[in-house]
Amino acid sequence: MPIPSAIITLVLGMILVLGGLWIGQNINLLPVDASVNAPIYDELFRVLFSIGTILFVGIVGLVVFSLVRFRRKPGQIGDGIALEGNLPLEIFWTAVPAIVVLFVGLYSYDIYERMGGMVPLAHGGHGDSQATEERVWGGIGTAGAMQASSEMAVLPLPVEVTAMQFAFLFHYPDGDIISGELHVPSGRPISLKMEAKDVIHAFWVPQFRLKQDIIPGQPTLLNFTPTRPGRYPVVCAELCGPYHGGMRSTVVVESADDYDAWFQANRKLPVSEA
Amino acid sequence: MTLTLPQQSKPPALQPTGWLRYLSFSVDHKVIGLQYLVCGFAFYLIGGALAGAIRTELTSPVADFMPRDVYNQVLTLHGTIMIFLWIVPVVNGAFGNYLIPFYVGARDMAFPRLNAVAFWLIPPAGLLLITSYFITGAAQSGWTAYPPLSLTTPASGQIIWILSVLLLGGSSIFGGINFIATILKMRRPGLKLMQLPMYCWAMLGTSILVVLSTPVLAGTLILLSFDIVAHTGFFNPGMGGNVVVYQHLFWFYSHPAVYIMVLPAFGLVSEILPIHCRKPLFGYTTMVYSIMAIVVLGLVVWAHHMFTSGTPPWMRLFFTIATAFIAVPTGIKFFNWIATLWGGKISLNSAILFSCGFIVNFVLGGITGVALAQVPFDVHVHDTYFVVAHFHYIVYGGSVFVIFASVYHWFPKVTGRMLDENLGRFHFLLTFIGFNLCFAPQHWLGLNGMPRRVAEYDPQFAFVNQISSVGALLMALSTLPFLWNVFASARSGEIAGDNPWRALTPEWLTTSPPPVENWKGEPPLVTHPYGYGIPADQIDLKDASGSDLWSNGR
Amino acid sequence: MTSLSPQDQAVEIQEHHEESHPDHRMFGLATFLVADAMTFAGFFAAYLTFKAVNPLLPGAVYELELPLPTLNTILLLVSSATFHRAGVNLRRSDMQRCRRWLLLTAILGLAFLVSQMVEYFTLPFGLTDNLYASTFYALTGFHGLHVTMGALMILIVWWQCRTPEGRVTADNHFPLEAAELYWHFVDGIWVVLFVILYLI
């Protein structure tokens, strides 16, 4: 007596799910993680990758199986089964994707919150001393910065980023440093306030898993806490003209001591101290 | 046969006959459908050549193949041509115009002259766009034309681009009006809405999207052109304007635009699968409701293209949820198609192979789509090659594969001859392998740091880019067996007869090619367009041997 | 392939278009007007977003008076009523009265345009002065374009209504009905525009 197809289907399904989970956990498609929220992002990626693999392999399997098992052999002229529908089955495969999608949505909302995306923008961790009610247009990570800073009892390091065709300029208000590279101490929250001079640009560090468009006319915020010393690319990720591909800079994450050394070497001393 | 009606008192106006019809202002929906198809395919080849230029540039990490501003023109034209001159006109205008009158049991569309006008807007608009490259320089701000970039790049190219897109949008709207009127108002007596072939529902939904969203693009581009020409400041921050508002207005159309490109393809697949599987379409009613759900949801998800633009957090949350929900009705359709395959008697011909290729490719694109819908995920991959990979899986792996499947399926009806199957399967193999080789690696490129719309990139990505370019080359080569097949078969392919696929829908119940009035005599009433298959209790376990696979039912 | 001579094919083409089916042109026009409304909707959405989010820059001038626009609203609403009367008379085949009402409608429409021009010339801001100035002129200008086209259509229908050579009759009433629907649409858009631009 042949093995009942239900058992074979069950076993195949289990192999599929376990295989998908294994792939999601073990196949690493992402670059190194260098900020506090990067591992959080990578968690989400692994879940999405697992679910995606399971779905894709499952569906490809069904299609290929059908093409082989139900193919018309030479000489056959019959028809298939006159099956118009199956309401319980359709309800099942409406409900299951809806639940999966709902789960993915709620999970990613949680991830987004942990990354600091839900905090209202008007009170970014920038410590604005300006009185003007400046409208801030976009940002992410503000909660992360606030939370980290309150935990560590340390203020986020503010940096003003100016994007123009085709370069990034980083201005440190403390010390009045203007630099072409972004130097940041590892482990300390950083608060970027960004503005564009001409067209829309974007600030993207793949290793931080963070990106924010830089928009002329309205400042945007980006907050993060770097964790892994190294040199990482800052990539412009919004078409800004012919040299868009060449518009990149570097973020140098260094130990607190190295950062202090850089800071001291570059800061402009106030006139009275000179 | 001559209709026995009284002679006209004035001689009838003679219309061009033979192939000249296709160069004339014909009001025959079949002629117009083919005009759309051939014209669209010509633009596909041009857009493909532009893609070839892009992939050639990208074989090396430096910008050495063409000047950078030319590269930006090339990528702008590539996107604009493929969307507005190839896919939208072909899945809507070509197949819609050819098939819808047959499916509703009518002799022609509701507004035949408007139909011709809609088509004839396309060649001049396309010519305008392409010649701008040679005369003034084409637009170079991408098909999305975001200000302020589109306000600071050379104005003439951008204005020509805007004019061209306005004409093409107008063409699309006229077509949409025609489809809605024909499907809702021109059904043959006795034919109910829920008896229509699924492609009619897909086109009804698509046309609703066209009519509601395309005008918003028109308005937006008018405002953009004012900024360029009249120095107003709608989107110019220096004058108090707001660039994010442009993005909202643009994407309000451009997100439904992707459903305008894909829903008709869904409809076409729903026609092709049952016939070659010899089984009814699974779940007709849920398929209809899924289309309507996609139409409604498709109108409220546009800002998922703007997750890093500077929208408030609550807005990003809303659009994440709404976008993720679209996966549900879309998923239903895919499960229904698989259920249509399951238990069938599937002929492994080119039409089925391309349809199954569509299923596989589109599912991958849909999965990356659900991922992209999640804000935290998108923040990393927005505007990178991950997105490029995603949407090519949807529009190429999706719509273009269906277009090819449809050509193999309906070529016999249109020309009266069969396409060669060996060439067709070869075409499929080359296309499927080339396409996946080109675009699958691009997911990795995006995840690891390669932005889109660049001519130069980090050298660590060179090898993967070269693999992708080889895939693109294969895709280019794959058009050769297809074109050869089409031309050779049109002249000397096997005669098809009226109904080579033994199908039930009305276009197969007439000659190949059909007469001017679609059927001699009354239009047939087909109340059960998917009435294939043997009831489960009557299935004969011993398969009858018999005649040739391609028995044409003569 | 059909083996008809070109002559016979041409006869067939003519005949298959003469097979009678109901006139769906009003339905087509209504669908088109939905599309047209969406263009305006885009403009309104842009304007409302600007209002919510983009303050008027310091020093920019944007002030509107109410009397002329209110007059415009009355002119258009009355003109919709007069157009309706024209249609009623056409259906009764009273061509004389129909033409009179049509003329009156056209005059009201032209009065609207004149009044709009007066407003344009007395406004303290120009097209490119600031964001709100630009939006104002874009919106009212686009609407004014529609009024102009509508007025032209009324005059064409008025001309076509003359008997005995006229083509618009009680039987062939589509041109008047179509122009009337278009006019009511333009009127409706104005009401929305009036509320959004002038009242809110």
Side-chain angles (χ1 to χ4, degrees):
Chain A
M1 164 175 160
I3 304 173
S5 62
I7 294 186
I8 298 190
T9 312
L10 179 64
V11 170
L12 283 174
M14 287 167 60
I15 295 175
L16 182 63
V17 170
L18 292 172
L21 287 171
W22 185 90
I23 287 178
Q25 291 298 317
N26 290 287
I27 300 216
N28 181 31
L29 294 179
L30 289 163
V32 78
D33 59 284
S35 78
V36 162
N37 72 290
I40 302 174
Y41 179 93
D42 293 359
E43 262 182 60
L44 174 64
F45 181 82
R46 280 192 287 273
V47 168
L48 292 171
F49 192 23
S50 290
I51 296 178
T53 307
I54 294 168
L55 269 172
F56 181 68
V57 173
I59 290 187
V60 171
L62 283 170
V63 169
V64 169
F65 178 79
S66 301
L67 288 177
V68 169
R69 166 72 179 82
F70 301 113
R71 76 186 184 285
R72 174 189 301 280
K73 302 190 181 61
Q76 291 181 340
I77 55 166
D79 275 10
I81 314 170
L83 191 60
E84 306 262 349
N86 180 338
L87 191 58
L89 182 58
E90 292 187 84
I91 292 176
F92 177 76
W93 69 44
T94 307
V96 170
I99 292 169
V100 171
V101 156
L102 197 60
F103 161 74
V104 167
L106 289 172
Y107 180 60
S108 75
Y109 171 75
D110 176 58
I111 297 277
Y112 188 49
E113 227 191 357
R114 285 158 63 187
M115 282 168 63
M118 288 306 295
V119 172
L121 296 165
H123 308 286
H126 194 78
D128 247 334
S129 57
Q130 290 152 295
T132 47
E133 175 48 49
E134 203 176 27
R135 226 188 151 88
V136 158
W137 275 97
I140 195 168
T142 45
M146 292 306 289
Q147 189 180 10
S149 67
S150 62
E151 276 167 12
M152 295 157 49
V154 103
L155 279 177
L157 173 66
V159 183
E160 289 162 5
V161 181
T162 307
M164 62 189 77
Q165 286 169 321
F166 297 94
F168 294 100
L169 282 183
F170 304 99
H171 175 242
Y172 294 72
D174 310 328
D176 197 21
I177 303 175
I178 296 187
S179 166
E181 281 183 344
L182 179 61
H183 283 252
V184 289
S186 174
R188 182 170 168 196
I190 316 293
S191 176
L192 300 181
K193 184 174 172 206
M194 310 192 285
E195 216 174 318
K197 285 268 157 272
D198 36 47
V199 299
I200 305 178
H201 298 271
F203 179 95
W204 179 38
V205 180
Q207 284 75 6
F208 294 167
R209 318 282 193 268
L210 287 173
K211 177 187 296 109
Q212 176 58 50
D213 282 7
I214 309 178
I215 299 172
Q218 36 209 38
T220 50
L221 304 181
L222 189 62
N223 290 246
F224 58 90
T225 305
T227 52
R228 192 188 298 268
R231 299 177 67 91
Y232 309 109
V234 173
V235 180
C236 176
E238 181 63 55
L239 178 65
C240 54
Y243 285 85
H244 167 57
M247 182 169 166
R248 45 177 60 216
S249 175
T250 311
V251 53
V252 183
V253 179
E254 42 202 1
S255 68
D257 294 329
D258 288 343
Y259 172 77
D260 282 335
W262 173 85
F263 186 78
Q264 294 303 328
N266 285 282
R267 63 186 290 219
K268 296 193 184 55
L269 297 168
V271 175
S272 57
E273 279 186 38
Chain B
M1 178 221 132
T2 317
L3 295 174
T4 50
L5 284 174
Q7 279 293 62
Q8 308 302 309
S9 51
K10 52 178 188 194
L14 286 177
Q15 300 211 348
T17 55
W19 62 271
L20 281 173
R21 281 177 297 164
Y22 298 98
L23 297 174
S24 73
F25 191 82
S26 169
V27 295
D28 180 346
H29 71 98
K30 300 180 287 300
V31 170
I32 295 176
L34 286 173
Q35 287 173 320
Y36 268 104
L37 183 62
V38 174
C39 179
F41 198 81
F43 285 118
Y44 168 63
L45 294 176
I46 297 175
L50 292 166
I54 293 174
R55 286 303 335 159
T56 308
E57 171 68 86
L58 291 175
T59 49
S60 75
V62 290
D64 53 359
F65 185 57
M66 62 184 100
R68 291 174 178 83
D69 65 303
V70 171
Y71 181 82
N72 285 357
Q73 294 176 44
V74 167
L75 66 89
T76 302
L77 286 178
H78 168 74
T80 312
I81 290 174
M82 289 306 204
I83 293 173
F84 293 108
L85 290 162
W86 158 234
I87 299 201
V88 170
V90 168
V91 294
N92 286 270
F95 294 105
N97 278 309
Y98 198 95
L99 294 172
I100 299 284
F102 283 108
Y103 286 160
V104 301
R107 305 282 182 196
D108 207 308
M109 298 286 290
F111 309 119
R113 273 171 304 192
L114 185 66
N115 206 5
V117 167
F119 168 69
W120 280 106
L121 285 172
I122 294 189
L127 226 59
L128 192 63
L129 187 67
I130 290 169
T131 53
S132 73
Y133 176 83
F134 298 103
I135 299 182
T136 61
Q140 36 176 299
S141 50
W143 85 278
T144 48
Y146 278 8
L149 183 64
S150 50
L151 303 177
T152 59
T153 46
S156 36
Q158 194 69 58
I159 290 290
I160 293 178
W161 181 89
I162 291 176
L163 269 169
S164 174
V165 174
L166 285 174
L167 286 172
L168 294 167
S171 162
S172 189
I173 293 174
F174 289 152
I177 293 174
N178 224 343
F179 291 123
I180 295 175
T182 309
I183 293 169
L184 291 182
K185 296 287 191 181
M186 301 264 296
R187 268 166 295 130
R188 176 211 189 291
L191 186 60
K192 303 201 189 78
L193 274 175
M194 292 299 270
Q195 294 169 332
L196 285 172
M198 192 54 58
Y199 183 62
C200 299
W201 283 105
M203 284 307 298
L204 183 61
T206 309
S207 303
I208 292 173
L209 284 176
V210 166
V211 163
L212 290 179
S213 63
T214 318
V216 176
L217 179 71
T220 313
L221 294 183
I222 290 174
L223 294 180
L224 188 68
S225 64
F226 265 67
D227 271 10
I228 297 175
V229 166
H231 304 291
T232 50
F234 301 110
F235 311 123
N236 187 344
M239 293 182 55
N242 189 331
V243 300
V244 178
V245 169
Y246 173 88
Q247 295 182 22
H248 278 292
L249 289 172
F250 176 84
W251 287 110
F252 184 82
Y253 163 73
S254 299
H255 186 78
V258 318
Y259 298 111
I260 292 169
M261 291 191 274
V262 136
L263 274 176
F266 287 175
L268 290 169
V269 166
S270 294
E271 300 307 328
I272 295 172
L273 285 180
I275 294 174
H276 296 280
C277 297
R278 309 304 306 173
K279 267 188 81 209
L281 180 68
F282 192 91
Y284 181 96
T285 313
T286 21
M287 292 290 248
V288 172
Y289 287 132
S290 308
I291 291 174
M292 292 303 138
I294 292 172
V295 167
V296 169
L297 286 171
L299 286 166
V300 293
V301 296
W302 72 90
H304 65 236
H305 298 270
M306 297 163 57
F307 279 149
T308 64
S309 294
T311 44
W314 60 265
M315 193 182 284
R316 294 190 239 189
L317 185 64
F318 168 77
F319 282 105
T320 294
I321 297 173
T323 310
F325 273 137
I326 294 199
V328 178
T330 314
I332 293 174
K333 298 187 81 68
F334 277 83
F335 295 133
N336 283 19
W337 286 320
I338 293 173
T340 307
L341 283 170
W342 189 275
K345 210 141 211 64
I346 309 175
S347 311
L348 294 180
N349 53 36
S350 312
I352 277 282
L353 288 174
F354 270 105
S355 300
C356 291
F358 153 78
I359 292 177
V360 162
N361 293 329
F362 193 95
V363 164
L364 186 60
I367 289 171
T368 54
V370 172
L372 284 164
Q374 316 302 320
V375 172
F377 180 82
D378 183 64
V379 163
H380 175 56
V381 293
H382 169 76
D383 236 310
T384 67
Y385 261 84
F386 189 90
V387 176
V388 175
H390 160 72
F391 67 68
H392 280 94
Y393 266 87
I394 299 287
V395 291
Y396 193 98
S399 299
V400 176
F401 267 65
V402 173
I403 291 173
F404 284 131
S406 305
V407 171
Y408 286 99
H409 181 70
W410 276 291
F411 186 91
K413 173 52 53 181
V414 170
T415 62
R417 293 179 183 273
M418 307 296 289
L419 281 168
D420 180 271
E421 269 304 315
N422 292 323
L423 277 175
R425 293 197 195 104
F426 182 50
H427 173 215
F428 167 74
L429 212 57
L430 276 182
T431 311
F432 188 77
I433 293 175
F435 166 76
N436 280 286
L437 198 61
C438 180
F439 290 105
Q442 294 183 2
H443 295 100
W444 182 87
L445 287 174
L447 288 169
N448 282 273
M450 184 169 175
R452 57 184 287 204
R453 296 171 164 168
V454 293
E456 56 207 316
Y457 52 83
D458 189 327
Q460 64 163 314
F461 300 131
F463 180 61
V464 177
N465 267 294
Q466 283 153 7
I467 297 177
S468 179
S469 295
V470 167
L473 181 61
L474 276 178
M475 289 168 73
L477 292 174
S478 75
T479 50
L480 295 173
F482 175 71
L483 287 171
W484 174 262
N485 199 354
V486 166
F487 285 116
S489 302
R491 290 176 45 195
S492 53
E494 181 193 333
I495 301 282
D498 290 0
N499 197 350
W501 311 126
R502 294 179 293 133
L504 293 172
T505 43
E507 80 274 30
W508 299 103
L509 306 179
T510 183
T511 58
S512 302
V516 155
E517 72 277 28
N518 292 351
W519 305 271
K520 301 276 186 249
E522 284 294 297
L525 176 64
V526 176
T527 54
H528 200 192
Y530 304 114
Y532 308 101
I534 308 169
D537 53 350
Q538 291 172 32
I539 276 257
D540 186 359
L541 294 172
K542 295 191 294 276
D543 293 308
S545 66
S547 47
D548 178 88
L549 179 62
W550 306 117
S551 160
N552 53 23
R554 271 190 286 236
Chain C
M1 290 281 247
T2 58
S3 53
L4 291 178
S5 68
Q7 189 90 5
D8 286 341
Q9 274 188 31
V11 169
E12 275 195 33
I13 291 167
Q14 183 122 351
E15 279 157 0
H16 103 259
H17 283 301
E18 282 166 9
E19 243 178 16
S20 67
H21 62 73
D23 187 354
H24 299 304
R25 288 178 293 176
M26 283 305 279
F27 181 82
L29 177 65
T31 316
F32 173 76
L33 291 177
V34 169
D36 208 0
M38 287 307 292
T39 321
F40 280 100
F43 290 151
F44 289 137
Y47 173 78
L48 290 170
T49 312
F50 290 144
K51 272 212 89 170
V53 145
N54 280 54
L56 195 59
L57 294 179
V61 172
Y62 181 67
E63 284 145 21
L64 298 173
E65 310 268 306
L66 276 184
L68 270 177
T70 313
L71 171 67
N72 284 349
T73 311
I74 296 173
L75 284 172
L76 278 187
L77 287 174
V78 170
S79 70
S80 266
T82 57
F83 208 148
H84 176 71
R85 288 243 57 85
V88 166
N89 280 302
L90 177 68
R91 280 181 274 284
R92 288 200 220 122
S93 283
D94 190 340
M95 302 310 287
Q96 265 213 326
R97 285 221 172 80
C98 170
R99 299 188 82 217
R100 273 193 228 135
W101 285 108
L102 278 177
L103 203 57
L104 185 53
T105 311
I107 289 170
L108 288 170
L110 290 168
F112 172 94
L113 287 171
V114 166
S115 163
Q116 183 99 93
M117 286 289 111
V118 170
E119 190 196 8
Y120 275 11
F121 281 119
T122 58
L123 282 171
F125 53 83
L127 172 68
T128 60
D129 282 356
N130 59 68
L131 177 66
Y132 289 90
S134 304
T135 322
F136 173 85
Y137 282 110
L139 258 168
T140 53
F142 197 59
H143 177 262
L145 214 67
H146 281 69
V147 173
T148 311
M149 290 192 290
L152 277 171
M153 284 197 278
I154 295 172
L155 290 172
I156 292 174
V157 171
W158 172 81
W159 181 253
Q160 298 282 14
C161 270
R162 69 197 191 287
T163 51
E165 323 90 54
R167 290 164 48 174
V168 178
T169 63
D171 290 322
N172 181 29
H173 52 77
F174 171 72
L176 187 140
E177 263 191 25
E180 187 184 343
L181 180 60
Y182 182 83
W183 192 257
H184 291 320
F185 167 77
V186 166
D187 194 355
I189 295 287
W190 171 260
V191 170
V192 177
L193 192 155
F194 180 63
V195 169
I196 290 185
L197 269 188
Y198 291 95
L199 294 186
I200 291 187

